[in-house]
């Protein structure tokens, strides 16, 4: 038995020896050596952000970031297919993407919230620059809302598609209501408890939920014992947008009821008012609107500036001359809008100045006067003419628009307090 084990062990030893001799005999091929080569990782590209300043030129900004004039010229040429560099406004964000120590290879220009212009070089000496414009996808929808007023327009209790409104949208809705009915309702003096509105709004919404644009298609407003209706009508894309009531009469008047957006009346037209500075009774031949310093002041009607600048007790003031020997005055301004001077043509609703406390004033407010034939009159008691109604040749087109939008608008009931509903039902 031991002899067999010895023979087997010897055989294994002989086999291993043979393998070793074959592997390491002179001239036998050796295993190839493995060489490790380290390739350095290129540095990550860096992004430099620049906001276009007032008075800066695009060429100057490009040169400051390492681009020479010839390359700047090629970049501007590539941009020209989508946007003129001269139209870029202060604050426009420009991002330069480059390797450290090298000129930018990519440039991103944020034209606005909806459009980003991408520019990139194909590399090499005198390389061409390419451009691509990316726009965010827009969703178009409509929202139907109603509001019940307790104290003021901005705090109205809203119903309808409220869950689709983003942050700050409630304020925007109230503002839109005030703009549509600005010629018929003074939203400080005319509102009553239980007044209400319903409104149909067409929107363009960005992917992040923010609203790019919104326009009122139709609205109803119940103000005390009257109900007003407004229908948006634009017969063709080049025509001015106007609002008309259900019968086709213009909602817009020749004059706005107030020169500020939903301002507080601090002193009305009064022939025997006690003056807070002079401490004596004297006529107050205008209307004072309390508002924060810097609030934009708008021309209540179209016309031509007759005077703009310092004006005695008025402080800084603007006077606008209108048709039919009518003038309006805007006093105690903190500043006058750029370009306002004698002879300047202004449109209704155009900003002409900003609320202040210059002249004989104790606090920031706007003093507004309405003059007819050179005499101050109370604007709250005037029955001023309206704009032109729907032209006869467009009545059919208007009727189709009116029926479509009012049918949708009136899918939501006009809100009313339960107690008020019971009393009105009995009436």
């Amino acid at each position: 038995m031991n002899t067999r084990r010895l023979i087997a062990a010897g055989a294994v030893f002989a086999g291993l020896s043979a393998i070793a001799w074959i592997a390491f005999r002179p001239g036998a091929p050796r295993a190839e050596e493995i060489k490790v080569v380290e390739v350095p990782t290129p540095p990550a590209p860096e992004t430099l952000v620049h906001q276009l300043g007032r008075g800066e030129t695009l060429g100057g900004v490009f040169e400051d970031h390492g681009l020479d004039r010839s390359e700047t010229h090629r970049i501007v040429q590539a941009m020209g297919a989508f946007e003129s560099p001269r139209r870029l406004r202060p604050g426009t964000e420009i991002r330069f993407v480059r390797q450290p120590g090298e000129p930018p290879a990519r440039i991103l220009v944020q034209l606005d919230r909806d459009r980003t212009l991408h520019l990139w070089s194909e590399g090499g000496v005198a390389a061409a620059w390419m451009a691509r414009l990316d726009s965010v996808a827009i969703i178009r929808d409509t929202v139907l809302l109603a509001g019940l007023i307790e104290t003021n327009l901005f705090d109205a209790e809203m119903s309808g598609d409220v869950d689709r409104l983003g942050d700050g949208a409630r304020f925007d809705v109230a503002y839109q209501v005030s703009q549509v009915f600005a010629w018929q309702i003074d939203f400080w003096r005319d509102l009553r408890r239980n007044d209400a509105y319903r409104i149909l709004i067409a929107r363009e919404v960005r992917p992040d939920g923010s609203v790019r644009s919104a326009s009122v298609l139709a609205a109803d407003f119940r103000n005390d014992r009257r109900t007003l209706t407004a229908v948006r009508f634009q017969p063709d894309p080049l025509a001015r947008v106007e609002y008309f009531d259900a019968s086709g009469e213009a909602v817009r008047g020749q004059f706005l009821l107030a020169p500020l957006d939903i301002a507080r009346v601090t002193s009305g037209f009064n022939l025997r008012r006690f003056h807070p500075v002079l401490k004596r009774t004297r006529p107050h031949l205008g209307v004072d609107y309390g508002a924060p310093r810097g609030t934009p002041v708008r021309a209540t009607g179209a016309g031509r500036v007759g005077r703009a600048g310092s004006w005695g007790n008025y402080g800084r003031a603007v006077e606008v001359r209108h048709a039919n020997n009518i003038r309006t005055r805007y006093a105690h301004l903190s500043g006058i809008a750029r370009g306002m001077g004698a002879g300047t043509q202004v449109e209704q609703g155009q900003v002409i100045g900003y609320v202040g406390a210059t002249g004989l004033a104790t606090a920031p407010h706007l003093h507004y006067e309405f003059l007819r034939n050179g005499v101050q009159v109370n604007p709250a008691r005037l029955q001023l003419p309206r704009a032109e109604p729907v032209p006869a040749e467009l009545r059919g087109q208007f009727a189709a628009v009116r029926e479509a939008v009012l049918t949708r608008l009136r899918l939501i009931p006009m809100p009313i307090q339960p107690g008020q509903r019971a009393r009105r039902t009995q009436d």
Side-chain angles (χ1 to χ4, degrees), residues 180-197:
V180 170
F181 294 106
W183 297 272
Q184 297 165 298
I185 302 173
D186 184 321
F187 283 93
W188 178 256
R189 292 183 295 191
D190 294 344
L191 288 188
R192 303 289 184 271
R193 183 180 180 184
N194 199 45
D195 282 358
Y197 65 84

Side-chain angles (χ1 to χ4, degrees), residues 134-145:
D134 286 351
S135 301
V136 299
I138 297 297
I139 300 171
R140 291 178 172 83
D141 68 1
T142 56
V143 291
L144 187 57
L145 301 160

Side-chain angles (χ1 to χ4, degrees), residues 347-408:
E347 300 300 326
Q348 186 180 62
Q350 182 177 341
V351 174
I352 58 174
Y354 305 91
V355 169
T358 57
L360 198 61
T362 58
H365 72 282
L366 173 72
H367 176 78
Y368 172 65
E369 292 183 7
F370 194 100
L371 297 86
R372 175 175 278 170
N373 297 320
V375 178
Q376 289 94 339
V377 295
N378 187 352
R381 296 185 177 181
L382 295 177
Q383 294 294 327
L384 296 169
R386 304 216 158 272
E388 295 297 318
V390 176
E393 65 274 14
L394 297 176
R395 287 278 174 168
Q397 186 178 348
F398 172 74
V401 172
R402 176 193 62 203
E403 295 308 311
V405 296
L406 291 185
T407 298
R408 295 176 64 188

Side-chain angles (χ1 to χ4, degrees), residues 253-277:
Q254 290 186 4
F255 289 89
L256 296 168
L257 292 186
L260 300 177
D261 294 327
I262 316 183
R264 179 170 57 94
V265 175
T266 55
S267 183
F269 192 95
N270 188 346
L271 296 178
R272 295 189 54 80
R273 176 222 190 192
F274 183 78
H275 197 282
V277 177

Side-chain angles (χ1 to χ4, degrees), residues 304-312 314-321 328-331 333 335-346 351-353:
R304 194 174 295 276
V305 175
R307 182 169 182 170
S310 296
W311 192 350
Y314 283 135
R316 293 191 186 95
V318 175
E319 181 180 85
V320 180
R321 299 178 181 272
T328 54
R329 287 177 187 163
Y330 312 81
L333 303 174
I336 295 171
R338 181 176 298 179
M340 290 295 118
T344 302
Q345 181 68 37
V346 297
V351 174
I352 58 174

Side-chain angles (χ1 to χ4, degrees), residues 149-187:
I149 296 169
E150 180 73 19
T151 56
N152 62 71
L153 189 61
F154 289 98
D155 293 331
E157 180 183 345
M158 294 182 64
S159 56
D161 298 326
V162 180
D163 59 331
R164 292 165 59 189
L165 299 180
D167 295 339
R170 287 174 173 265
F171 179 93
D172 294 337
V173 171
Y175 178 78
Q176 288 169 320
V177 171
S178 72
Q179 293 299 290
V180 170
F181 294 106
W183 297 272
Q184 297 165 298
I185 302 173
D186 184 321
F187 283 93

Side-chain angles (χ1 to χ4, degrees), residues 273-289:
R273 176 222 190 192
F274 183 78
H275 197 282
V277 177
L278 300 178
K279 304 300 182 183
R280 59 186 175 87
T281 299
R282 62 178 291 182
H284 186 249
L285 303 178
V287 179
D288 287 350
Y289 293 91

Side-chain angles (χ1 to χ4, degrees), residues 58-60 62-64 66-79 103-104 107 120-121 124-130:
L58 200 60
F62 285 173
E63 289 182 20
D64 290 342
L67 297 164
D68 59 33
R69 291 189 178 183
S70 61
E71 198 154 18
T72 295
H73 178 70
R74 292 194 294 273
I75 297 171
V76 169
Q77 280 187 319
M79 290 182 63
I107 302 173
W120 68 95
S121 169
V125 179
W129 277 77
M130 311 298 290

